[in-house]
Amino acid sequence: ILKDDDFMSSYDDVAIIGGEIFDNKFTDENERLYFECLSIIRDKMEHNKLRSFNMNTNLLYEDTSMLTKTLDFFGDLQNRLHVVTSYDVKYRFHTENSRLLFLSNLNKIDKEYPKVNKTVQSVVSSFFIDDVLNGRFDINQFEQKYHCEYNLNNVIHSDLVDRLGKDFFPKRDEYIKFLFFLKKTNLKLLQRFNVDKDDKDFIYCD
């Protein structure tokens, strides 16, 4: 598909989504094929046939060599790379060490690859809202420290209620309070967080 110019002409960006590709579990053959794909992507970016390359990763691995090899592979095009990851205050990190590992890897990208764009996403859970409103998590400070752009996602899958429990989902009043808080403290984030778009099934608990 990547080699099909007619097909690719309809797209501006390419992304790696689903599964964790940077945890060094490639066979030699898979790694060869992976970098063969990257070579095609890089060539299209060099000839302005692609605008950017986006990489979704959990950053929960100690060996970052595959990630750094990927970033290095794009050389002067690193300003058109986007690393997308997630930070959630509940269920994301099973231990404090895993949270610190995530932050260490995010910091590594920031310090060693300052031109690479970084986006961090959080689910707007009741736990997240509580931490933000009570000062235990500061979105602005996080963005400034790691030079990243923060994004928010609603939980819209009703089948998650039984699995995660009603406490995970924000109550209507705290959700509205959170939106007003964002309006005062981070209007750009609120504008990126389009509450109405595709969220007709958004769940909150009274």
Side-chain angles (χ1 to χ4, degrees):
I1 291 176
L2 289 172
K3 294 180 179 179
D4 187 338
D5 287 336
D6 289 337
F7 177 83
M8 292 300 297
S9 65
S10 301
Y11 299 91
D12 294 322
D13 312 289
V14 170
I16 294 177
I17 301 174
E20 182 52 62
I21 206 164
F22 301 115
D23 57 1
N24 287 283
K25 293 182 179 178
F26 275 149
T27 64
D28 290 342
E29 175 64 10
N30 285 340
E31 183 172 341
R32 183 190 68 79
L33 292 172
Y34 170 66
F35 278 98
E36 184 178 312
C37 289
L38 292 189
S39 181
I40 298 171
I41 293 170
R42 184 179 64 183
D43 180 71
K44 289 185 180 297
M45 291 172 67
E46 289 174 339
H47 291 87
N48 293 317
K49 294 181 179 179
L50 280 175
R51 180 176 54 193
S52 68
F53 177 48
N54 305 327
M55 294 159 278
N56 281 42
T57 177
N58 61 29
L59 294 180
L60 294 175
Y61 36 86
E62 294 185 3
D63 184 352
T64 60
S65 58
M66 183 56 66
L67 176 62
T68 57
K69 283 166 65 176
T70 299
L71 299 178
D72 289 335
F73 187 78
F74 284 86
D76 293 339
L77 297 171
Q78 288 178 6
N79 64 319
R80 292 161 63 185
L81 302 181
H82 294 259
V83 173
V84 182
T85 189
S86 300
Y87 183 100
D88 291 301
V89 299
K90 190 72 171 179
Y91 303 132
R92 171 70 172 161
F93 308 110
H94 298 296
T95 66
E96 176 64 6
N97 284 339
S98 67
R99 189 184 74 87
L100 294 176
L101 175 62
F102 169 91
L103 294 175
S104 175
N105 285 337
L106 185 60
N107 186 63
K108 177 183 177 69
I109 298 172
D110 183 44
K111 300 303 182 186
E112 298 182 12
Y113 301 92
K115 292 183 179 180
V116 172
N117 302 280
K118 300 173 295 298
T119 298
V120 179
Q121 304 178 107
S122 285
V123 172
V124 184
S125 65
S126 180
F127 302 104
F128 181 76
I129 290 176
D130 187 62
D131 275 11
V132 170
L133 294 183
N134 288 289
R136 291 188 295 273
F137 184 76
D138 190 312
I139 297 173
N140 292 340
Q141 286 184 7
F142 194 100
E143 286 186 314
Q144 293 166 10
K145 181 175 182 178
Y146 297 104
H147 304 100
C148 63
E149 180 179 270
Y150 221 92
N151 278 333
L152 300 173
N153 296 313
N154 281 321
V155 185
I156 60 173
H157 302 293
S158 58
D159 59 335
L160 292 176
V161 174
D162 291 336
R163 184 156 65 90
L164 297 176
K166 287 188 176 181
D167 288 345
F168 184 83
F169 299 88
K171 294 179 173 60
R172 182 182 177 88
D173 58 344
E174 67 180 359
Y175 184 81
I176 294 173
K177 186 177 181 180
F178 175 68
L179 295 180
F180 277 104
F181 178 83
L182 287 182
K183 183 178 180 180
K184 291 180 180 179
T185 62
N186 197 323
L187 183 59
K188 289 184 178 180
L189 172 57
L190 180 61
Q191 290 169 338
R192 290 195 300 272
F193 180 43
N194 188 337
V195 179
D196 296 322
K197 184 180 180 182
D198 299 328
D199 284 353
K200 62 182 182 299
D201 296 322
F202 169 64
I203 302 165
Y204 61 84
C205 295
D206 290 325

